[in-house]
């Protein structure tokens, strides 16, 4: 037999057998890893109905982009509403006082309606036994083009310092 004795052929066959065993172990390990990978792939794709991972990722990317656009739109709307809310004349201060010493109680009043910028109006009602007067003065940054009485200033201060 071509100059090789039986021991040499036996050694070659044993080596090939060992190589086959090593390859079988390696194939079984790879098979297990492939099964786990296939299971993970099925879990990731889930019930999307799309068999290719690239299509799933593309759809997810599109959805994330749409969500990001929606989030930006909602942030813009929220910012607009916050600006609108701060511009509302929602802060109120009421100060009652006795305008005349001959009347018996604090029947006169000043009411200030202001926003966060102290813009708004102050309304004063002065009660007397014979007649009642009502005044309205516009406010711009807590000041008015008309002279403010101490009682009106108190009402404005009460309205601007409420939290």
């Amino acid at each position: 037999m071509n100059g090789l004795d039986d021991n040499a052929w036996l050694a070659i066959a044993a080596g090939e057998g060992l190589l086959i065993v090593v390859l079988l172990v390696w194939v079984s390990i790879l098979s297990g890893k492939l099964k786990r990978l296939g299971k993970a792939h099925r879990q990731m794709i889930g019930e999307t109905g799309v068999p290719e991972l690239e299509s799933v990722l593309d759809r997810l990317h599109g959805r994330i982009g749409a969500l990001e656009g929606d989030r930006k739109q909602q942030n813009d709307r929220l910012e607009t509403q916050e600006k609108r809310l701060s511009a509302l004349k929602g802060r109120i201060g009421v100060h009652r006082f006795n305008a005349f010493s001959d009347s018996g109680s604090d029947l006169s009043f000043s009411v200030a309606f202001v926003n966060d910028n102290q813009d708004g109006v102050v309304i004063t009602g002065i009660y007397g036994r014979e007649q009642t007067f009502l005044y309205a003065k516009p406010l711009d940054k807590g000041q008015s083009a008309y002279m403010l009485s101490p009682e009106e200033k108190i009402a404005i201060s009460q309205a601007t310092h409420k939290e």
Side-chain angles (χ1 to χ4, degrees):
M1 284 199 178
N2 283 348
L4 291 176
D5 62 356
D6 289 336
N7 286 338
W9 285 109
L10 190 60
I12 292 173
E16 288 177 348
L18 184 61
L19 183 62
I20 289 175
V21 169
V22 169
L23 288 174
L24 284 175
V25 169
W26 187 48
V27 167
S28 66
I29 290 171
L30 288 179
S31 175
K33 286 185 178 186
L34 186 59
K35 270 187 182 178
R36 285 192 301 270
L37 185 61
K39 183 178 177 184
H41 182 264
R42 282 189 300 278
Q43 280 181 323
M44 187 174 10
I45 290 178
E47 299 298 321
T48 61
V50 180
E52 296 115 20
L53 182 60
E54 293 82 14
S55 299
V56 172
L57 293 176
D58 192 39
R59 288 175 94 191
L60 287 175
H61 183 70
R63 287 181 183 173
I64 289 171
L67 288 173
E68 184 64 29
D70 290 347
R71 187 191 62 78
K72 184 181 179 333
Q73 201 174 37
Q74 288 174 347
N75 282 346
D76 292 345
R77 290 173 76 189
L78 179 62
E79 189 176 312
T80 301
Q81 294 301 327
E82 285 175 347
K83 286 179 185 176
R84 206 175 136 241
L85 184 62
S86 70
L88 294 175
K89 300 348 182 223
R91 297 175 179 249
I92 300 171
V94 177
H95 178 67
R96 291 178 56 110
F97 59 95
N98 187 355
F100 305 106
S101 59
D102 62 341
S103 63
S105 186
D106 293 342
L107 298 176
S108 298
F109 65 90
S110 288
V111 179
F113 300 93
V114 296
N115 63 10
D116 289 343
N117 298 326
Q118 297 183 8
D119 297 335
V121 65
V122 63
I123 299 172
T124 300
I126 299 180
Y127 174 78
R129 289 184 189 261
E130 304 296 322
Q131 52 190 330
T132 299
F133 299 96
L134 193 61
Y135 303 96
K137 298 175 184 175
L139 295 174
D140 185 24
K141 295 179 183 57
Q143 302 297 318
S144 179
Y146 303 97
M147 191 167 144
L148 295 171
S149 70
E151 293 82 11
E152 290 168 332
K153 289 178 182 177
I154 291 170
I156 294 167
S157 176
Q158 288 175 346
T160 57
H161 290 96
K162 288 184 180 179
E163 285 298 322

